[in-house]
Amino acid sequence: MEITNAEFVISNTDVKKCPAGTFPEYAFIGRSNVGKSSLINMLTGRKGLAMTSATPGKTMLINHFLINNSWYLVDLPGYGYARRGQKGQEQIRTIIEDYILEREQMTNLFVLIDSRLEPQKIDLEFMEWLGENGIPFAIIFTKADKLKGGRLKINISAYLRELRKQWEELPPYFITSSEERLGRTEVLNYIESINKELNSK
Ligand SMILES: Nc1nc2c(ncn2[C@@H]2O[C@H](COP(=O)(O)OP(=O)(O)O)[C@@H](O)[C@H]2O)c(=O)[nH]1
Ligand SMILES: [Mg+2]
């Protein structure tokens, strides 16, 4: 799939104010700094797209981008950002949970994981929560270009090994680098295959 059109539609904190209609939504989430904005820009091929909503103070928002006039890419607030303080983090949690649990158009969630790091408790617990609530998700390992030699493979294998302790069947996963545009085709094809499946129903 090629992205021929990408436009910012709306930012808000209230799931009820998200766009009306039935277009499927693919949401992106992860810890702050995991590379979410960069990935969204890389996937859409629009350098400043995710930045339009990344001005300070707006980072707690649900951002909708309409892609090819047929589906939405949704940028969710990053979780686990200690500098926001306890109250800020709880507000974020409510926004995220409301969107994920209540938004019927939410078709697939992409959970971004920094490929350089060991499995983090916050991410594992978040995915466990997704499983408990039957939320369809896939993993996107980010910043693959930062790992040299065999390190990338070793880290991904270790991560999958950790996941197998929790999951009988592993979620789909993608390895990406926004810097090198790695994984772009794979992620977009995955979205396209789900869109096709939805259209055929
Ligand atoms: N080398 C490299 N750096 C990246 C990549 N993706 C993001 N970064 C850097 O990581 C930092 C955080 O990225 P950003 O997209 O703002 O993360 P966000 O907070 O999750 O939206 C920035 O300095 C980016 O330039 C990547 O694929 N490769
Ligand atoms: Mg960002």
Side-chain angles (χ1 to χ4, degrees):
M1 166 173 56
E2 259 324 303
I3 292 188
T4 51
N5 198 62
E7 52 188 280
F8 170 69
V9 177
I10 191 172
S11 281
N12 62 81
T13 54
D14 184 354
V15 66
K16 292 180 197 73
K17 291 185 188 141
C18 290
T22 57
F23 286 159
E25 298 185 0
Y26 297 85
F28 291 73
I29 198 166
R31 295 161 75 214
S32 300
N33 222 36
V34 68
K36 196 155 53 75
S37 299
S38 308
L39 181 82
I40 290 172
N41 291 339
M42 185 272 270
L43 290 176
T44 56
R46 310 291 192 281
K47 266 205 150 67
L49 191 66
M51 292 303 152
T52 52
S53 53
T55 46
K58 284 200 172 181
T59 48
M60 280 176 46
L61 299 172
I62 304 167
N63 303 297
H64 276 72
F65 301 98
L66 180 60
I67 311 296
N68 293 353
N69 290 308
S70 57
W71 55 276
Y72 286 105
L73 189 161
V74 180
D75 186 10
L76 293 173
Y79 55 75
Y81 188 52
R83 256 195 272 168
R84 277 199 190 106
Q86 187 78 21
K87 191 151 172 260
Q89 292 205 52
E90 268 160 34
Q91 281 173 333
I92 298 273
R93 187 187 200 101
T94 308
I95 295 169
I96 292 171
E97 289 187 0
D98 284 357
Y99 173 82
I100 293 174
L101 298 177
E102 292 174 25
R103 185 72 174 161
E104 278 175 31
Q105 294 89 330
M106 212 290 291
T107 302
N108 184 77
L109 188 66
F110 289 102
V111 179
L112 275 64
I113 303 284
D114 190 326
S115 61
R116 295 171 302 175
L117 305 180
E118 303 212 324
Q120 305 285 305
K121 197 164 165 242
I122 189 167
D123 296 317
L124 296 171
E125 285 178 356
F126 178 69
M127 288 186 273
E128 200 178 342
W129 178 81
L130 292 176
E132 284 162 9
N133 287 284
I135 307 296
F137 73 96
I139 294 177
I140 293 186
F141 292 102
T142 63
K143 308 189 187 183
D145 61 286
K146 291 222 182 189
L147 290 164
K148 299 294 174 225
R151 212 52 241 176
L152 178 65
K153 266 197 172 157
I154 291 170
N155 279 17
I156 305 292
S157 310
Y159 208 100
L160 298 179
R161 214 177 308 125
E162 186 64 37
L163 283 176
R164 279 195 195 94
K165 293 181 191 168
Q166 233 175 58
W167 299 85
E168 215 164 295
E169 200 184 323
L170 290 183
Y173 66 92
F174 303 92
I175 297 168
T176 67
S177 160
S178 300
E179 206 64 16
E180 295 178 350
R181 290 168 62 87
L182 181 77
R184 182 173 187 271
T185 311
E186 288 78 6
V187 173
L188 291 180
N189 284 351
Y190 181 68
I191 292 173
E192 186 178 35
S193 70
I194 300 175
N195 280 340
K196 278 196 175 139
E197 206 180 303
L198 291 174
N199 281 332
S200 69
K201 277 184 192 156

